[in-house]
Amino acid sequence: MGDFSLFGLPVSLGTMIYQAIIFTILVFILKKLVFKKMVDILEKRKHHIEKQLLLTEQYKQAAEQHLEVSKDVLKQAKKEAREIRTYSENEAKLIIHDAKEEAKNIVKKAKEEAFLQHARPFSHSDQIKEGA
């Protein structure tokens, strides 16, 4: 057929037409068999990704709500802990105060008893001397 030279390279017109026809047939076959399936797969993938993004957004909102609830619970727990600690400290102070008072009373009674016991032998010995 007609061979000619383009940019110094030999080009065969018949081979060019033959390759164009083969390429066109290949594109039609691919369009009928592959492209539809590939587009369907890509559409399914697109819808799946969109669903996953929506689901992720819902989970994110739920997590934020749970975080707020957890923060509120933590604040309440801290408040209760402070109240319990204050109450316990006050109770401990009262117990310590009562224990100190009781200890003072015990020491006072012990001193009085010691004084009375120390004073009795003299009075008892005085009675023995007087009776003899």
Side-chain angles (χ1 to χ4, degrees), residues 6-65:
L6 184 65
F7 301 115
L9 297 172
V11 177
S12 173
L13 191 59
T15 305
M16 223 171 160
I17 293 172
Y18 174 72
Q19 286 179 352
I21 292 171
I22 296 289
F23 180 75
T24 305
I25 293 172
L26 180 65
V27 167
F28 283 126
I29 291 173
L30 288 176
K31 185 178 178 186
K32 291 286 184 185
L33 299 177
V34 176
F35 289 149
K36 283 186 180 181
K37 290 180 182 178
M38 198 157 79
V39 168
D40 288 342
I41 291 171
L42 291 174
E43 282 295 318
K44 287 179 185 178
R45 175 96 172 123
K46 178 184 171 187
H47 291 301
H48 177 72
I49 290 171
E50 288 173 352
K51 287 180 185 178
Q52 292 297 320
L53 287 173
L54 289 174
L55 190 61
T56 303
E57 187 64 31
Q58 291 173 353
Y59 286 150
K60 180 181 175 186
Q61 290 173 354
E64 288 173 353
Q65 290 173 351

